[in-house]
Amino acid sequence: MSTDTKKKLRSAQWFGTNDKNGFMYRSWMKNQGIPDHEFDGRPIIGICNTWSELTPCNAHFRKLAEHVKRGVLEAGGFPVEFPVFSNGESNLRPTAMLTRNLASMDVEEAIRGNPVDAVVLLVGCDKTTPALLMGAASCDVPSIVVSGGPMLNGKLLGKDIGSGTAVWRLHEDLKAGAISLHHFLAAEGGMSRSAGTCNTMGTASTMACMAEALGVSLPHNAAIPAVDARRYVLAHMSGQRIVEMAHEGLTLSKVLTRAAFENAIRTNAAIGGSTNAVIHLKAIAGRIGVELELDDWTRIGKGTPTLVDLQPSGRFLMEEFYYAGGLPAVLRRLGEAGLLPHPDALTVNGQSLWDNVQDAPSYDDEVIRPLDRPLIDDGGICVLRGNLAPRGAVLKPSAASPHLLRHRGRAVVFENFEHYKERINDESLEVDANSVLVMKNCGPRGYPGMAEVGNMGLPPKLLRQGVKDMVRISDARMSGTAYGTVVLHVAPEAAAGGPLAAVRDGDWIELDCAQGRLHLDISEAELAERLSHFQPPESPMQGGYQQLYRDRVLQADEGCDFDFLVGCRGAAVPRHSH
Ligand code: FES
């Protein structure tokens, strides 16, 4: 029977009394076959599951959850699995980012409203990691991340191919007439041949690395392949550990400190991580009350070498990354070079980040490069400012062409993504390799969710001439699997009246990554005159969630959270209804 004596845990406020309320809370739970002794005050561990067959990257999560449960039970906890909104990148339209904040609300309310003392966050596909961390951070209960792990290497005609990155390359080859449609379609099955997330250093892998660098997962969480038995061992051990964390009261805010975010920013540079991390880390930090600014990416990331030679910046895939030593090997190399800003930052296993990685072995210097032979000397996300982006824009140098990082060219302007699709294949389009492709109205409000369309495909006539890269500028995001000299997240966005809205065909634009400068070469007076005629674009959908999104979403430099969701509201138990 339950007793009145164990009230330390949060769940005791549901199950810890023998009055009418305790009766009711326990009675309904017992319809699942749960015996009396499980309500003896042991920690109740929520397993927050983003399983969905429409999120193929997370489709193996039922099995993952079973292994978490084994660990929880072994450690004397009471596991309860619950579903939350699963925003899968590959299927959701218009973009999975549209529902990141929605999923975070689901997670926050599910945690706060239910009798859970601690949570295991089962995450995988891009937006599921930030969404669950944002929701859990707003509650600040003990939390541990278990990622689903990457897919095995893709295979095509005997060669390895990487998720997403292969699609962009093959599609450009197809448009340039370099490969047949048969060749193109043959990659479909070979690219995605096992359970798991994208096997490149795309956004999913980046966010899994961010979770590990932030200290909210056990070591090696980022890279163990989804189908490797050690992924399930990690899930089991995370289940064990979360029970201890519930007893210790090791809440998320003790781990997600300013120091943890600085470690993550440095790590992102070292892994050649996705630009999406800039937005997601800001949003997570906002939920836990940590100040993080766009310029922190310059201050902490600039000058950091990229050590990990993974696609889309480099050659290899996540499988090789794990076999080469995974993220612990990278963190050790950074730490030994004095490049880990806060080695003493606490992690969820109760040890410091440095304790966890100081003896981590490396097995392959081609995949995880030594400091004196990096993939890129300065791999930190480049933050750009100027009259075209007063509140900033970003570019990923490791995925860009070095010769374009300082560039002056004439704008070819697309008013929105549809306009781009209409014009880009037009053989009479006035464009050459020196031009700068500019796309408007794809920011958080303009294309609700800020779609990953910033890496605009090049005009076919230039592809046929052998042009491989051009400077592209937009207020959109870019898939972490994509590459190119692509300026993203221009803020304020065009749909909010930012200067991007004023760019016209033929304007000169200057990009200088070393100086962090993005300049529209027109006078201040001319810019002001053009902007005085600004009209916000028509929205295709009125009402519903998209209306809420447009009305309340913050700009890219603020993490695209909803203004009313920023902050930690804690896990105080809401009033009960009985
Ligand atoms: Fe899900 Fe890439 S589409 S991780």
Side-chain angles (χ1 to χ4, degrees):
M1 274 306 267
S2 61
T3 71
D4 289 322
T5 56
K6 293 184 179 173
K7 289 183 177 165
K8 199 174 69 166
L9 292 169
R10 186 173 182 272
S11 58
Q13 296 173 69
W14 279 261
F15 303 128
T17 66
N18 282 333
D19 59 9
K20 179 193 73 179
N21 287 325
F23 173 104
M24 294 180 79
Y25 290 126
R26 287 188 299 273
S27 176
W28 266 268
M29 287 295 279
K30 285 179 177 177
N31 80 353
Q32 300 175 83
I34 298 166
D36 275 345
H37 69 264
E38 296 237 357
F39 297 100
D40 62 359
R42 65 188 68 191
I44 303 207
I45 305 299
I47 301 173
C48 185
N49 201 341
T50 49
W51 169 84
S52 167
E53 288 175 342
L54 288 166
T55 304
C57 313
N58 298 12
H60 58 302
F61 279 19
R62 283 168 154 176
K63 184 175 173 196
L64 204 60
E66 288 309 313
H67 286 265
V68 173
K69 283 180 194 170
R70 287 191 204 177
V72 170
L73 290 168
E74 199 173 274
F78 175 166
V80 283
E81 184 184 348
F82 63 96
V84 289
F85 188 90
S86 181
N87 38 358
E89 202 67 29
S90 56
N91 282 325
L92 260 185
R93 290 183 178 186
T95 162
M97 182 65 174
L98 179 67
T99 49
R100 184 199 66 175
N101 298 347
L102 179 69
S104 79
M105 292 163 80
D106 179 354
V107 172
E108 177 182 345
E109 298 306 324
I111 292 173
R112 186 179 298 114
N114 275 302
V116 293
D117 298 305
V119 288
V120 179
L121 308 174
L122 296 190
V123 299
C125 198
D126 299 16
K127 305 305 176 291
T128 57
T129 304
L132 270 57
L133 272 171
M134 288 161 69
S138 281
C139 293
D140 196 21
V141 294
S143 310
I144 194 167
V145 164
V146 175
S147 300
M151 289 187 251
L152 296 176
N153 287 5
K155 297 284 178 187
L156 177 67
L157 305 177
K159 295 212 170 79
D160 285 350
I161 56 169
S163 316
T165 306
V167 182
W168 314 123
R169 284 199 202 288
L170 290 166
H171 194 230
E172 303 249 290
D173 287 349
L174 181 69
K175 284 195 292 180
I179 61 170
S180 68
L181 183 63
H182 176 77
H183 182 137
F184 178 69
L185 295 177
E188 272 182 20
M191 191 181 75
S192 310
R193 66 191 184 91
S194 83
T197 50
C198 290
N199 53 25
T200 41
M201 188 54 81
T203 304
S205 299
T206 298
M207 291 311 298
C209 288
M210 292 298 90
E212 194 171 328
L214 285 166
V216 294
S217 74
L218 294 184
H220 283 295
N221 173 66
I224 304 172
V227 296
D228 190 310
R230 289 165 286 190
R231 171 66 51 192
Y232 296 98
V233 173
L234 183 132
H236 185 122
M237 301 313 289
S238 299
Q240 273 196 349
R241 177 61 193 149
I242 193 68
V243 177
E244 293 169 3
M245 286 171 66
H247 285 303
E248 293 165 6
L250 181 52
T251 52
L252 209 42
S253 60
K254 293 174 183 161
V255 179
L256 281 180
T257 58
R258 166 89 194 175
F261 285 96
E262 293 195 358
N263 284 337
I265 289 174
R266 186 65 58 76
T267 302
N268 187 273
I271 63 173
S274 163
T275 45
N276 282 321
V278 178
I279 290 176
H280 297 322
L281 287 193
K282 171 69 182 172
I284 297 164
R287 294 297 187 95
I288 205 82
V290 169
E291 291 292 329
L292 201 65
E293 301 304 328
L294 200 50
D295 289 332
D296 287 326
W297 289 81
T298 305
R299 194 175 59 75
I300 301 159
K302 199 169 173 62
T304 306
T306 298
L307 303 181
V308 177
D309 191 348
L310 252 63
Q311 296 179 30
S313 303
R315 292 174 290 169
F316 301 103
L317 296 168
M318 288 297 284
E319 225 187 307
E320 281 102 5
F321 183 43
Y322 178 54
Y323 304 149
L327 196 69
V330 178
L331 296 174
R332 178 181 176 179
R333 288 201 167 159
L334 288 178
E336 286 177 342
L339 290 175
L340 208 50
H342 303 285
D344 53 349
L346 179 66
T347 74
V348 285
N349 67 1
Q351 303 205 78
S352 74
L353 192 61
W354 186 243
D355 287 338
N356 287 342
V357 304
Q358 60 183 329
D359 298 319
S362 291
Y363 300 108
D364 191 333
D365 283 353
E366 288 302 304
V367 180
I368 301 173
R369 304 281 197 94
L371 263 294
D372 60 1
R373 198 166 54 79
L375 179 68
I376 309 279
D377 288 333
D378 179 0
I381 297 284
C382 178
V383 176
L384 302 158
R385 288 185 191 275
N387 68 348
L388 194 47
R391 282 171 53 182
V394 301
L395 178 145
K396 180 176 169 179
S398 63
S401 302
H403 72 280
L404 289 174
L405 292 177
R406 187 153 181 252
H407 185 77
R408 179 178 161 87
R410 282 190 181 274
V412 176
V413 178
F414 308 104
E415 292 301 320
N416 51 42
F417 187 50
E418 284 67 36
H419 189 218
Y420 159 77
K421 286 192 289 188
E422 277 168 27
R423 280 185 94 194
I424 197 67
N425 297 323
D426 183 349
E427 294 289 321
S428 64
L429 182 68
E430 282 190 37
V431 63
D432 60 30
N434 205 50
S435 302
V436 174
L437 304 182
V438 176
M439 185 160 59
K440 307 176 184 177
N441 295 313
C442 291
R445 278 196 228 164
Y447 188 137
M450 199 182 174
E452 292 184 331
V453 293
N455 58 315
M456 290 163 259
L458 306 187
K461 68 177 181 183
L462 296 184
L463 288 170
R464 289 196 300 275
Q465 291 168 21
V467 176
K468 297 280 187 212
D469 195 9
M470 293 170 70
V471 173
R472 289 157 268 181
I473 299 174
S474 74
D475 44 16
R477 294 178 302 114
M478 170 174 91
S479 165
T481 64
Y483 52 87
T485 310
V486 186
V487 177
L488 302 154
H489 309 180
V490 170
E493 63 175 302
L500 189 66
V503 184
R504 293 180 184 164
D505 272 338
D507 285 346
W508 286 100
I509 292 179
E510 293 168 7
L511 166 69
D512 187 338
C513 288
Q515 300 299 317
R517 182 166 178 269
L518 185 64
H519 181 70
L520 177 64
D521 198 2
I522 61 173
S523 70
E524 254 180 65
E526 169 71 9
L527 181 55
E529 205 283 322
R530 290 188 193 179
L531 286 174
S532 68
H533 303 291
F534 169 73
Q535 293 284 345
E538 288 278 305
S539 294
M541 189 182 288
Q542 301 296 325
Y545 174 75
Q546 283 207 15
Q547 183 80 50
L548 174 73
Y549 192 93
R550 276 197 306 275
D551 291 348
R552 307 303 290 269
V553 71
L554 298 168
Q555 289 290 289
D557 61 319
E558 299 169 304
C560 299
D561 203 355
F562 291 155
D563 53 3
F564 61 92
L565 289 177
V566 175
C568 177
R569 287 163 283 280
V573 176
R575 272 183 302 180
H576 61 77
S577 57
H578 310 316

PDB file of all heavy atoms in Angstrom, residues 149-161:
ATOM      1  N   GLY A 149      19.929   7.605 -32.651  1.00  0.00           N
ATOM      2  CA  GLY A 149      21.128   7.157 -33.366  1.00  0.00           C
ATOM      3  C   GLY A 149      20.979   7.250 -34.866  1.00  0.00           C
ATOM      4  O   GLY A 149      19.872   7.194 -35.410  1.00  0.00           O
ATOM      5  N   PRO A 150      22.107   7.389 -35.546  1.00  0.00           N
ATOM      6  CA  PRO A 150      22.069   7.546 -37.007  1.00  0.00           C
ATOM      7  C   PRO A 150      21.877   6.228 -37.756  1.00  0.00           C
ATOM      8  O   PRO A 150      22.202   5.156 -37.243  1.00  0.00           O
ATOM      9  CB  PRO A 150      23.443   8.141 -37.324  1.00  0.00           C
ATOM     10  CG  PRO A 150      24.323   7.677 -36.211  1.00  0.00           C
ATOM     11  CD  PRO A 150      23.460   7.556 -34.987  1.00  0.00           C
ATOM     12  N   MET A 151      21.404   6.355 -38.997  1.00  0.00           N
ATOM     13  CA  MET A 151      21.307   5.201 -39.898  1.00  0.00           C
ATOM     14  C   MET A 151      22.708   4.698 -40.247  1.00  0.00           C
ATOM     15  O   MET A 151      23.688   5.436 -40.162  1.00  0.00           O
ATOM     16  CB  MET A 151      20.644   5.621 -41.222  1.00  0.00           C
ATOM     17  CG  MET A 151      19.189   5.927 -41.147  1.00  0.00           C
ATOM     18  SD  MET A 151      18.527   6.205 -42.822  1.00  0.00           S
ATOM     19  CE  MET A 151      18.220   7.965 -42.780  1.00  0.00           C
ATOM     20  N   LEU A 152      22.766   3.462 -40.690  1.00  0.00           N
ATOM     21  CA  LEU A 152      24.019   2.942 -41.256  1.00  0.00           C
ATOM     22  C   LEU A 152      24.344   3.731 -42.528  1.00  0.00           C
ATOM     23  O   LEU A 152      23.463   4.377 -43.121  1.00  0.00           O
ATOM     24  CB  LEU A 152      23.864   1.456 -41.604  1.00  0.00           C
ATOM     25  CG  LEU A 152      23.603   0.534 -40.411  1.00  0.00           C
ATOM     26  CD1 LEU A 152      23.381  -0.896 -40.904  1.00  0.00           C
ATOM     27  CD2 LEU A 152      24.752   0.577 -39.408  1.00  0.00           C
ATOM     28  N   ASN A 153      25.589   3.668 -42.952  1.00  0.00           N
ATOM     29  CA  ASN A 153      25.987   4.359 -44.181  1.00  0.00           C
ATOM     30  C   ASN A 153      25.079   3.979 -45.343  1.00  0.00           C
ATOM     31  O   ASN A 153      24.759   2.789 -45.525  1.00  0.00           O
ATOM     32  CB  ASN A 153      27.418   3.983 -44.574  1.00  0.00           C
ATOM     33  CG  ASN A 153      28.454   4.623 -43.663  1.00  0.00           C
ATOM     34  OD1 ASN A 153      28.096   5.273 -42.683  1.00  0.00           O
ATOM     35  ND2 ASN A 153      29.709   4.448 -43.986  1.00  0.00           N
ATOM     36  N   GLY A 154      24.696   4.962 -46.138  1.00  0.00           N
ATOM     37  CA  GLY A 154      23.964   4.663 -47.363  1.00  0.00           C
ATOM     38  C   GLY A 154      24.903   4.050 -48.399  1.00  0.00           C
ATOM     39  O   GLY A 154      26.115   4.232 -48.334  1.00  0.00           O
ATOM     40  N   LYS A 155      24.325   3.303 -49.323  1.00  0.00           N
ATOM     41  CA  LYS A 155      25.150   2.644 -50.359  1.00  0.00           C
ATOM     42  C   LYS A 155      24.533   2.877 -51.729  1.00  0.00           C
ATOM     43  O   LYS A 155      23.324   2.718 -51.921  1.00  0.00           O
ATOM     44  CB  LYS A 155      25.219   1.130 -50.111  1.00  0.00           C
ATOM     45  CG  LYS A 155      25.880   0.730 -48.807  1.00  0.00           C
ATOM     46  CD  LYS A 155      27.389   0.861 -48.867  1.00  0.00           C
ATOM     47  CE  LYS A 155      28.026   0.505 -47.524  1.00  0.00           C
ATOM     48  NZ  LYS A 155      29.470   0.787 -47.508  1.00  0.00           N
ATOM     49  N   LEU A 156      25.365   3.231 -52.693  1.00  0.00           N
ATOM     50  CA  LEU A 156      24.924   3.365 -54.085  1.00  0.00           C
ATOM     51  C   LEU A 156      26.074   2.941 -54.989  1.00  0.00           C
ATOM     52  O   LEU A 156      27.162   3.522 -54.924  1.00  0.00           O
ATOM     53  CB  LEU A 156      24.522   4.821 -54.392  1.00  0.00           C
ATOM     54  CG  LEU A 156      24.103   5.095 -55.835  1.00  0.00           C
ATOM     55  CD1 LEU A 156      22.793   4.386 -56.176  1.00  0.00           C
ATOM     56  CD2 LEU A 156      23.948   6.593 -56.088  1.00  0.00           C
ATOM     57  N   LEU A 157      25.811   1.921 -55.814  1.00  0.00           N
ATOM     58  CA  LEU A 157      26.807   1.425 -56.755  1.00  0.00           C
ATOM     59  C   LEU A 157      28.163   1.186 -56.074  1.00  0.00           C
ATOM     60  O   LEU A 157      29.217   1.587 -56.563  1.00  0.00           O
ATOM     61  CB  LEU A 157      26.977   2.417 -57.917  1.00  0.00           C
ATOM     62  CG  LEU A 157      25.702   2.788 -58.672  1.00  0.00           C
ATOM     63  CD1 LEU A 157      25.993   3.824 -59.756  1.00  0.00           C
ATOM     64  CD2 LEU A 157      25.053   1.554 -59.288  1.00  0.00           C
ATOM     65  N   GLY A 158      28.082   0.556 -54.908  1.00  0.00           N
ATOM     66  CA  GLY A 158      29.306   0.169 -54.207  1.00  0.00           C
ATOM     67  C   GLY A 158      29.982   1.280 -53.434  1.00  0.00           C
ATOM     68  O   GLY A 158      31.028   1.075 -52.825  1.00  0.00           O
ATOM     69  N   LYS A 159      29.378   2.454 -53.459  1.00  0.00           N
ATOM     70  CA  LYS A 159      29.998   3.581 -52.729  1.00  0.00           C
ATOM     71  C   LYS A 159      29.075   4.054 -51.601  1.00  0.00           C
ATOM     72  O   LYS A 159      27.858   3.910 -51.676  1.00  0.00           O
ATOM     73  CB  LYS A 159      30.240   4.748 -53.673  1.00  0.00           C
ATOM     74  CG  LYS A 159      31.256   4.484 -54.773  1.00  0.00           C
ATOM     75  CD  LYS A 159      31.991   5.783 -55.122  1.00  0.00           C
ATOM     76  CE  LYS A 159      33.181   5.539 -56.027  1.00  0.00           C
ATOM     77  NZ  LYS A 159      32.808   5.338 -57.423  1.00  0.00           N
ATOM     78  N   ASP A 160      29.685   4.680 -50.577  1.00  0.00           N
ATOM     79  CA  ASP A 160      28.890   5.237 -49.489  1.00  0.00           C
ATOM     80  C   ASP A 160      28.218   6.528 -49.940  1.00  0.00           C
ATOM     81  O   ASP A 160      28.849   7.350 -50.613  1.00  0.00           O
ATOM     82  CB  ASP A 160      29.794   5.548 -48.286  1.00  0.00           C
ATOM     83  CG  ASP A 160      30.198   4.290 -47.542  1.00  0.00           C
ATOM     84  OD1 ASP A 160      29.633   3.208 -47.844  1.00  0.00           O
ATOM     85  OD2 ASP A 160      31.076   4.381 -46.671  1.00  0.00           O
ATOM     86  N   ILE A 161      26.975   6.695 -49.539  1.00  0.00           N
ATOM     87  CA  ILE A 161      26.293   7.971 -49.772  1.00  0.00           C
ATOM     88  C   ILE A 161      25.620   8.405 -48.476  1.00  0.00           C
ATOM     89  O   ILE A 161      25.189   7.580 -47.668  1.00  0.00           O
ATOM     90  CB  ILE A 161      25.255   7.916 -50.925  1.00  0.00           C
ATOM     91  CG1 ILE A 161      24.213   6.819 -50.699  1.00  0.00           C
ATOM     92  CG2 ILE A 161      25.933   7.778 -52.265  1.00  0.00           C
ATOM     93  CD1 ILE A 161      23.030   6.912 -51.663  1.00  0.00           C
TER      94      ILE A 161
END
